[in-house]
Amino acid sequence: LLSFDPIVEAQRQWVEHGWVAAAEGMAAITSVMRAHQIFLARVDEQLRPLGLSFARYEILMLLALSRNGSLPLGKIGQRLQVHPASVTSAMDRLQLQKYVRREPHPSDRRTTLAAITRDGRSAADQATDVLNCRVFVDLGVAPAVTAQIIEVLTELRKASGDFV
């Protein structure tokens, strides 16, 4: 445990080295990256005993919340905004766990669907209960701050072309 905030110190160093215009941006990006590490560690700690990673959990939830419990693999990648290879890797693991199965698309022979199984729904429900209770309900900041974080990051994501 450090006795000082290393990001504040880095910002001070940036200013001292004459990078004044970039110092605040560096501190903001470094803070977001560190927050990402903190959140990912908290989520992984809860999902690890369930045999899931956050990426696999996200796929299970996309499928569980879809109208038919299945989606084309390409659409999963688009919705999660990840490379198709990442979807394939996560799907392989989920299929080994018997949480999903691959199925041919009924009207497009070039498309493969990912379909959630009963065991996959059960795993998704259990993981969601754990994450809701132990992570999502308390981020470690006041609810008003959580709302501000969402607002600021939504603005950033929209400006970056994440969505229209």
Side-chain angles (χ1 to χ4, degrees):
L1 199 58
L2 296 174
S3 61
F4 65 95
D5 183 338
I7 296 172
V8 169
E9 175 59 17
Q11 185 176 4
R12 187 191 69 70
Q13 294 275 347
W14 244 245
V15 170
E16 188 176 293
H17 281 81
W19 304 317
V20 177
E24 197 165 85
M26 178 281 303
I29 287 174
T30 305
S31 294
V32 169
M33 298 291 207
R34 180 61 186 134
H36 173 264
Q37 293 170 335
I38 291 166
F39 288 148
L40 196 55
R42 289 176 70 189
V43 167
D44 283 346
E45 181 182 353
Q46 299 306 316
L47 292 178
R48 191 175 303 112
L50 303 174
L52 290 174
S53 66
F54 192 63
R56 293 195 307 271
Y57 169 73
E58 286 184 301
I59 290 174
L60 285 178
M61 289 308 297
L62 262 181
L63 296 173
L65 298 173
S66 69
R67 194 176 4 251
N68 300 319
S70 65
L71 289 169
L73 294 178
K75 190 168 278 193
I76 291 171
Q78 289 171 344
R79 295 218 179 135
L80 295 180
Q81 300 172 309
V82 297
H83 191 273
S86 297
V87 174
T88 299
S89 175
M91 278 293 299
D92 289 346
R93 290 288 305 269
L94 288 168
Q95 197 166 10
L96 282 172
Q97 292 174 289
K98 301 199 183 322
Y99 290 163
V100 299
R101 63 182 176 277
R102 288 177 168 92
E103 298 178 341
H105 191 283
S107 61
D108 182 354
R109 293 186 319 193
R110 297 169 298 160
T111 301
T112 300
L113 297 175
I116 193 165
T117 64
R118 183 177 291 125
D119 287 347
R121 282 189 190 280
S122 176
D125 289 345
Q126 186 178 4
T128 299
D129 288 345
V130 167
L131 290 175
N132 282 344
C133 291
R134 298 184 187 161
V135 179
F136 298 156
V137 78
D138 181 12
L139 299 185
V141 297
V145 174
T146 299
Q148 289 174 330
I149 291 169
I150 294 166
E151 184 180 331
V152 167
L153 294 178
T154 299
E155 181 181 335
L156 171 72
R157 291 173 40 242
K158 186 172 185 180
S160 298
D162 223 17
F163 62 95
V164 182

